[in-house]
Amino acid sequence: MIPTRARAPYLEVALASIAPQAHAAGAEVLVIDDAGPSPGGRAQAERFGVRYEPHERPRGLNVARNTGVERSGGELVVFVDDDIEALRGWLAALLNAAREHPDVDVFAGPIRPRLEGRGGWGSHSCGREKAPITTLELGCSDTETRYAWGANMAIRREALERVGAFDESLEQGGDEQEWQDRLRAREPRARVLYVAGAGVDHRRTGSDAHLRALARAQYARGRAARRFDTQRRQAPSPTRELTTLAGCMWHVVHRGCPAGLTMVAHSAGRLREALRERTGSGDAVSRSATAAGAGPAGNGADPGGDYKAGTEDFLSGQSGTVGGIDGVLRRLRDEATDAWEIASAKRLRLDLAAQHEPPLRRVLAIGVVRPEHASLAERIRAELLRSRHEVELRTCPPGELGKFENLNRLLVERAGGSPDGSPIQERDWLLVVDDDIELPRGFLDRLLFLCERFSLQLAQPAHRLSSHAAWSVTRRRPGSVARETEFVEIGPVTAFSRATFDTLLPFPKLRMGWGLDAHWAALAREHGWRCGVIDAVAIGHRVAPAADAYSREAAIAEAREFLARRPYLRAAEMQRTLTTHRRW
């Protein structure tokens, strides 16, 4: 079982080492392509005589593992990553161990790091730290171990059937560990056997082996690891995380060890996530969770994990309100990111590209404007109409209707009451815009360019780090251009392509609309639409937090009733990033 995502050179080496051993043993090999179907991926699999099973769109590592289990046979399921090279005798050693130890359900093999090329991590290391990729080396004899890791792991199918599928809400943190914890909770005497003869090399090549790329990956792994520890109620305090970070930094300076920056990055990711847990709600308590009867956000309402009894599973578990010293620090980070984008000419290159692509589009923008936000709404109008595309903007005051009731009214209105306004079916894009946001210059041109470059049907601009934003997945990620996600929010800005109109329009007759984005996410999965957050076009949402102008309890009650009869995605799924695009 080889999950992969757009890494053909790595997969080539993995298949060259695995396929001959599998064919000799009479084993089937499945490549689960999480990047979506591709002729190149299918041809590569056919060349090695293995099965190719693509997802329709990116779904995540554990989804790929579950897909492989569902679409395969065989009593033993062997999982590897696409960036390994199996050593001679690897599969035979696993099969022999499975025969000799019928009472063992999980088997692990050595995972040895191999960082290739000059100028990589190894050339900067003092030799005291481990390689910053998954490893497992327990000597030359078979022995029991606590965990098997997904780069080299075998599980009996009957154990998978007893314990259940891998948790699809996890990504990069505890993805296979959580399954093994479930196994032990169910069967306390369950064992994991380390098979010394079943070794693989875990590879990084070219720029992937360089310090910068490894540090970036470790930062993301650190954040995911902290989320997983929080879910298990085993996360250390932020003070301890800070102490660990200081120790890693001391190592870099005292030992003269640049490679130690990967440890710094991992620890910084953990600390960043710990601070988010404390400050994401503004007062360390999720107001949305509290309204539903839940406790502190850091005590079980973590977006990457399970939700406490009483917390609605369509809420993020955080209010996302930004203020105090955290708001100041976030604004500084926003300014630093802005400065880097300008200095690196990233914005200039994006603006130039957006002047030529896509072809001129017909865009309808609609929104409800409150009198107290009239001046801000006028700046929004000016920015949208500055676009090179053909834009019509329709707005109305709230009156006695709710947001989505007003939006439906605007959908069928003619511009200014005249008969020349085009119906929505003749538009290429629909933009729903709130009245309390700050748009960057060149907003719409850049947004449409990136939406169409990455074939997104539902999209939103990222929130600036200093914005009020309840969903952490929607905050901008420095270094990212756009990310494919499981969902987009109902506001403050949402972009709909024409492909979604027949299904999503008119909007349901809702006043506040909470939970509607969870339903959209389920429909997007059903119809194969790509959803995404555009990091290169970040907006500011600072005027007021969510539910400032209406009852939070009423919004939750409306959402409960709406979702009771409709499919929707759980919040833990909606927090996932499927693919990050760093270039266009």
Side-chain angles (χ1 to χ4, degrees):
M1 194 85 60
I2 313 175
T4 188
R5 185 189 287 174
R7 299 208 296 183
Y10 282 109
L11 182 61
E12 185 83 11
V13 173
L15 287 174
S17 66
I18 291 171
Q21 298 188 49
H23 296 328
E28 64 176 341
V29 179
L30 276 74
V31 172
I32 312 299
D33 193 342
D34 194 46
S38 81
R42 190 176 300 279
Q44 190 176 35
E46 290 175 353
R47 190 165 65 255
F48 286 98
V50 305
R51 283 175 54 195
Y52 180 72
E53 297 285 348
H55 286 158
E56 287 302 313
R57 58 188 180 84
R59 300 283 303 281
L61 176 59
N62 271 354
V63 181
R65 288 172 175 157
N66 290 337
T67 296
V69 173
E70 293 167 2
R71 299 181 187 179
S72 65
E75 187 263 337
L76 191 70
V77 185
V78 181
F79 300 89
V80 296
D81 289 346
D82 63 356
D83 55 2
I84 64 99
E85 182 172 17
L87 304 183
R88 183 175 300 176
W90 158 77
L91 184 56
L94 284 176
L95 296 176
N96 288 337
R99 282 191 291 267
E100 293 170 4
H101 300 275
D103 57 330
V104 176
D105 286 323
V106 184
F107 301 88
I111 306 171
R112 303 183 178 101
R114 197 168 96 201
L115 304 174
E116 304 171 359
R118 295 183 178 181
W121 176 88
S123 63
H124 299 289
S125 173
C126 70
R128 291 177 174 84
E129 62 284 308
K130 294 181 179 180
I133 56 178
T134 303
T135 62
L136 181 64
E137 298 184 76
L138 301 179
C140 300
S141 301
D142 293 0
T143 185
E144 290 191 20
T145 185
R146 180 66 178 168
Y147 292 108
W149 304 119
N152 189 14
M153 170 179 72
I155 303 177
R156 293 189 192 276
R157 184 174 296 274
E158 59 183 22
L160 289 163
E161 293 170 350
R162 292 197 311 271
V163 177
F166 291 99
D167 186 341
E168 297 181 355
S169 70
L170 298 175
E171 186 78 8
Q172 281 195 324
D175 35 30
E176 64 270 69
Q177 184 177 342
E178 184 276 339
W179 186 92
Q180 293 169 78
D181 288 340
R182 259 189 289 143
L183 171 66
R184 287 194 177 89
R186 176 189 173 97
E187 302 167 19
R189 301 186 67 179
R191 300 159 56 202
V192 177
L193 182 67
Y194 172 83
V195 183
V200 303
D201 284 347
H202 200 186
R203 306 170 57 244
R204 290 291 185 275
T205 66
S207 61
D208 292 345
H210 289 176
L211 191 57
R212 181 177 179 181
L214 293 169
R216 186 166 56 229
Q218 283 297 95
Y219 179 80
R221 290 179 68 87
R223 296 193 68 174
R226 171 75 193 195
R227 288 195 294 270
F228 181 59
D229 287 346
T230 299
Q231 176 186 329
R232 297 186 300 160
R233 314 278 177 88
Q234 295 180 9
S237 68
T239 301
R240 285 186 59 191
E241 297 283 18
L242 179 60
T243 301
T244 302
L245 175 60
C248 294
M249 296 173 70
W250 180 90
H251 171 89
V252 172
V253 176
H254 183 73
R255 301 291 184 187
C257 177
L261 289 171
T262 56
M263 297 189 302
V264 172
H266 187 276
S267 185
R270 290 188 61 93
L271 178 61
R272 176 69 188 88
E273 199 65 21
L275 294 175
R276 184 199 60 76
E277 292 165 8
R278 294 190 63 177
T279 62
S281 63
D283 58 359
V285 176
S286 166
R287 295 192 297 180
S288 59
T290 303
N299 233 355
D302 182 78
D306 292 334
Y307 282 68
K308 294 174 67 174
T311 304
E312 304 296 345
D313 61 0
F314 52 82
L315 298 178
S316 69
Q318 300 172 348
S319 74
T321 304
V322 173
I325 186 63
D326 180 59
V328 174
L329 294 175
R330 287 174 180 270
R331 283 193 289 275
L332 290 174
R333 290 179 61 202
D334 274 324
E335 291 172 6
T337 301
D338 291 342
W340 178 84
E341 290 181 352
I342 293 170
S344 65
K346 180 179 179 180
R347 286 193 184 177
L348 176 61
R349 289 185 285 109
L350 181 55
D351 285 337
L352 291 174
Q355 289 178 14
H356 304 287
E357 296 181 40
L360 290 180
R361 299 302 189 202
R362 304 190 70 188
V363 181
L364 174 63
I366 58 176
V368 180
V369 176
R370 292 163 284 184
E372 62 269 27
H373 293 161
S375 60
L376 190 53
E378 184 55 38
R379 291 197 291 273
I380 294 169
R381 170 187 290 273
E383 177 55 44
L384 292 176
L385 297 181
R386 186 179 288 124
S387 169
R388 71 180 181 87
H389 296 287
E390 183 181 326
V391 180
E392 179 188 349
L393 179 62
R394 303 178 188 174
T395 62
C396 68
E400 298 298 319
L401 300 178
K403 174 180 176 177
F404 286 90
E405 295 168 326
N406 275 311
L407 293 178
N408 279 337
R409 189 179 78 181
L410 291 170
L411 281 175
V412 298
E413 276 187 359
R414 298 292 186 181
S418 66
D420 57 350
S422 301
I424 186 61
Q425 289 79 7
E426 296 180 13
R427 308 306 174 110
D428 299 297
W429 287 90
L430 170 68
L431 205 66
V432 174
V433 186
D434 286 356
D435 63 354
D436 57 352
I437 56 173
E438 299 170 358
L439 300 180
R441 192 172 182 86
F443 165 77
L444 187 56
D445 291 352
R446 286 189 274 161
L447 181 75
L448 295 187
F449 168 72
L450 293 172
C451 284
E452 299 207 14
R453 176 57 59 94
F454 299 116
S455 302
L456 302 178
Q457 283 81 41
L458 275 173
Q460 70 174 92
H463 284 275
R464 294 175 68 82
L465 298 175
S466 53
S467 287
H468 300 310
W471 297 87
S472 59
V473 71
T474 65
R475 292 195 188 275
R476 76 192 302 186
R477 305 284 172 86
S480 168
V481 172
R483 286 171 289 124
E484 294 181 37
T485 57
E486 290 279 14
F487 98 122
V488 298
E489 297 173 289
I490 57 171
V493 181
T494 313
F496 305 80
S497 76
R498 183 190 296 171
T500 68
F501 292 172
D502 288 344
T503 302
L504 301 186
L505 302 180
F507 298 113
K509 295 179 180 179
L510 299 172
R511 292 187 61 82
M512 286 74 76
W514 285 26
L516 179 56
D517 38 22
H519 177 53
W520 287 346
L523 294 176
R525 180 177 289 184
E526 176 185 339
H527 291 273
W529 299 331
R530 291 179 184 264
C531 303
V533 176
I534 309 299
D535 292 303
V537 189
I539 63 168
H541 183 222
R542 302 195 187 97
V543 176
D548 182 69
Y550 53 83
S551 164
R552 185 177 295 269
E553 290 80 3
I556 292 173
E558 180 186 65
R560 274 199 215 107
E561 182 179 358
F562 174 72
L563 294 175
R565 302 181 300 277
R566 294 171 175 85
Y568 67 96
L569 262 60
R570 293 175 61 247
E573 294 180 273
M574 293 193 288
Q575 288 281 21
R576 294 168 53 204
T577 291
L578 304 176
T579 303
T580 298
H581 300 284
R582 302 188 184 279
R583 300 178 182 84
W584 60 82

